[in-house]
Amino acid sequence: MITRNTAEVVTPEELKEALESGRKLKGYLGFEPSGLFHIGWLIWAQKVKDLLQAGVDMSLLVATWHAWINDKLGGNMEMIKLAGDYAITVLDSFGISRSKVHVIDAEDMVKDKDYWSLVIRVAKNTSLARMKRALTIMGRKADEAELDSSKLIYPAMQVSDIFYMDLDIALGGTDQRKAHMLARDVAEKLGKKKVIAIHTPLLVGLQGGQRMNPGVDEDDALADIKMSKSKPETAIFINDEPEEVEGKLMTAYCPKGVVENNPVLQINKYILFQVDDRGLKVERDAKFGGDVQFNTYEELEKAYAEGKLHPKDLKVATARKLNQIIDPLRKSIKSRPEYDKLAKEIARSVSR
Ligand SMILES: Nc1ncnc2c1ncn2[C@@H]1O[C@H](COP(=O)(O)OP(=O)(O)OP(=O)(O)O)[C@@H](O)[C@H]1O
């Protein structure tokens, strides 16, 4: 349950050993509350659910200070906090009830001087070059700290978050790998636990992506084409009305027979087939082969790769199913006027 739909676990042996120890394990996921909730986040949200079900004590870190460093929402802390409440509300309606997780605001950790002592000790054990390379964890390139050196503090903070909360498991998309590897490397020097990293796959943006060029760092290449709240044109948000979801999917990158970096197939693989095990039903006219039911993602991918399923039919079926999953989440926030207002503000201020 813990390892399904993951891109990697570092390391599976350590995870097995930790689980077998019988100790109550502590895990977390951190997110920057700085925009609308897109469907890529459902991948880690489902993993949070899996971990809770497996008995892991989970925290959600609302990374308010990190979002501020990362220039999100114009550094407006009021808005950043509201965006945090909004995301927690969405997660609650997805089945991650506030009563089952610890919701931690970074603001509370930064009040403690022990936290800052950790940040300094992590920095003391990390070279400048490595700190710069780690900026991909905040969606930035290594040279983006040249004009704003506060950005160099972010990776040290993310690593310190892990130590401060004394965690066994750090969850995140694969773009968070550099933070977790750094945490593992400095843990020994600081006498801290070596955190086990669980990385979920990144959903590609609706624009899809080209085959990767050899020589380009794979993490960087994937981070560039992933669905992201800072690039609204690439994303399906849970705030989108059903027709918008359908409209976005109809124009998404989905060439006939192409599987690689195909967002419509990935939505099926990483979300629809994970969240609901009833498979995908494609309704078609008899002259196009009639209705067809796919019980596993593998069956769906095979049919698509062989050209037996037309992109339009796949898109219509995917939109219907995705809307069913998003519906309760959408309802939970549409009933709150303050979140509607937030969504409008965000649309105005989202910038890189
Ligand atoms: N497209 C995606 N698919 C799956 N997981 C994602 C995706 N984008 C982000 N995540 C995961 O969501 C968590 C929060 O990431 P983050 O706040 O950077 O989201 P984001 O949408 O990329 O926003 P931003 O555009 O502000 O960087 C991280 O663990 C990250 O790996």
Side-chain angles (χ1 to χ4, degrees):
M1 200 188 336
I2 295 180
T3 58
R4 73 174 170 204
N5 205 27
T6 57
E8 68 173 351
V9 174
V10 190
T11 68
E13 295 74 26
E14 288 170 21
L15 176 62
K16 189 159 181 282
E17 203 182 307
L19 288 166
E20 283 171 358
S21 74
R23 279 187 299 123
K24 182 89 180 161
L25 303 182
K26 285 163 68 172
Y28 98 126
L29 175 124
F31 65 90
E32 284 182 16
S34 57
L36 298 182
F37 199 112
H38 63 75
I39 59 169
W41 283 21
L42 293 176
I43 302 175
W44 59 252
Q46 180 60 40
K47 191 49 60 193
V48 170
K49 275 177 144 179
D50 291 343
L51 285 160
L52 283 169
Q53 209 180 331
V56 178
D57 188 16
M58 288 299 290
S59 296
L60 292 172
L61 173 66
V62 187
T64 47
W65 271 47
H66 310 69
W68 170 39
I69 293 181
N70 207 1
D71 301 327
K72 298 294 173 65
L73 299 182
N76 179 337
M77 220 26 149
E78 290 285 298
M79 255 176 85
I80 290 174
K81 277 185 190 296
L82 188 58
D85 288 345
Y86 150 88
I88 295 295
T89 302
V90 176
L91 291 167
D92 188 277
S93 59
F94 188 60
I96 304 172
S97 135
R98 286 180 174 85
S99 62
K100 291 192 205 147
V101 286
H102 309 278
V103 177
I104 298 176
D105 184 341
E107 182 105 348
D108 290 325
M109 299 200 289
V110 301
K111 286 180 186 150
D112 185 350
K113 83 172 166 34
D114 290 347
Y115 177 79
W116 292 107
S117 141
L118 277 171
V119 174
I120 291 167
R121 283 192 285 153
V122 170
K124 280 202 171 292
N125 285 284
T126 308
S127 70
L128 178 59
R130 184 146 188 206
M131 210 65 104
K132 282 184 175 176
R133 282 202 303 277
L135 294 191
T136 49
I137 64 168
M138 53 193 293
R140 302 277 172 185
K141 302 246 164 1
D143 61 8
E144 285 192 70
E146 296 302 325
L147 293 177
D148 168 6
S149 53
S150 75
K151 297 207 165 55
L152 291 171
I153 305 171
Y154 186 121
M157 285 176 71
Q158 189 160 334
V159 169
S160 302
D161 298 339
I162 293 170
F163 296 151
Y164 189 80
M165 290 189 258
D166 191 30
L167 298 166
D168 301 284
I169 296 175
L171 171 64
T174 52
D175 57 347
Q176 303 302 308
R177 183 187 283 126
K178 290 198 171 84
H180 300 156
M181 291 316 203
L182 185 58
R184 287 173 61 82
D185 288 350
V186 297
E188 225 164 288
K189 293 179 194 152
L190 300 190
K192 300 287 175 193
K193 270 193 237 167
K194 202 168 183 180
V195 77
I196 297 161
I198 299 181
H199 296 143
T200 41
L202 292 180
L203 179 64
V204 70
L206 297 174
Q207 81 296 334
Q210 304 304 312
R211 180 171 276 283
M212 281 161 221
N213 297 326
V216 175
D217 181 289
E218 199 183 328
D219 283 351
D220 293 350
L222 281 176
D224 259 358
I225 60 169
K226 72 170 190 153
M227 188 173 285
S228 155
K229 60 177 143 56
S230 311
K231 296 189 219 154
E233 68 288 358
T234 68
I236 293 177
F237 296 107
I238 62 101
N239 290 52
D240 291 341
E241 296 297 337
E243 311 75 55
E244 279 180 278
V245 171
E246 205 179 309
K248 285 181 175 182
L249 276 169
M250 292 322 271
T251 54
Y253 171 84
C254 188
K256 193 161 189 253
V258 174
V259 173
E260 192 182 36
N261 291 333
N262 178 328
V264 187
L265 281 176
Q266 285 193 2
I267 288 169
N268 278 283
K269 181 176 186 181
Y270 299 140
I271 303 172
L272 305 189
F273 278 84
Q274 303 296 331
V275 173
D276 176 341
D277 59 11
R278 282 171 300 177
L280 187 76
K281 184 172 180 198
V282 177
E283 292 175 9
R284 294 186 296 201
D285 259 13
K287 64 178 175 199
F288 296 124
D291 294 356
V292 54
Q293 165 75 24
F294 297 101
N295 290 320
T296 64
Y297 171 74
E298 289 67 33
E299 287 171 20
L300 173 70
E301 187 184 294
K302 185 163 180 286
Y304 195 75
E306 290 171 353
K308 291 181 182 151
L309 177 61
H310 191 274
K312 179 158 178 284
D313 294 326
L314 172 66
K315 286 175 168 185
V316 170
T318 302
R320 188 184 311 116
K321 187 86 190 264
L322 184 58
N323 268 322
Q324 282 167 9
I325 290 173
I326 295 179
D327 202 45
L329 317 187
R330 183 165 37 216
K331 286 203 175 102
S332 76
I333 52 138
K334 294 278 172 178
S335 61
R336 306 270 296 262
E338 69 272 33
Y339 295 150
D340 231 22
K341 199 165 152 248
L342 173 77
K344 291 195 181 97
E345 290 276 329
I346 285 172
R348 267 200 295 274
S349 67
V350 161
S351 65
R352 275 244 153 206

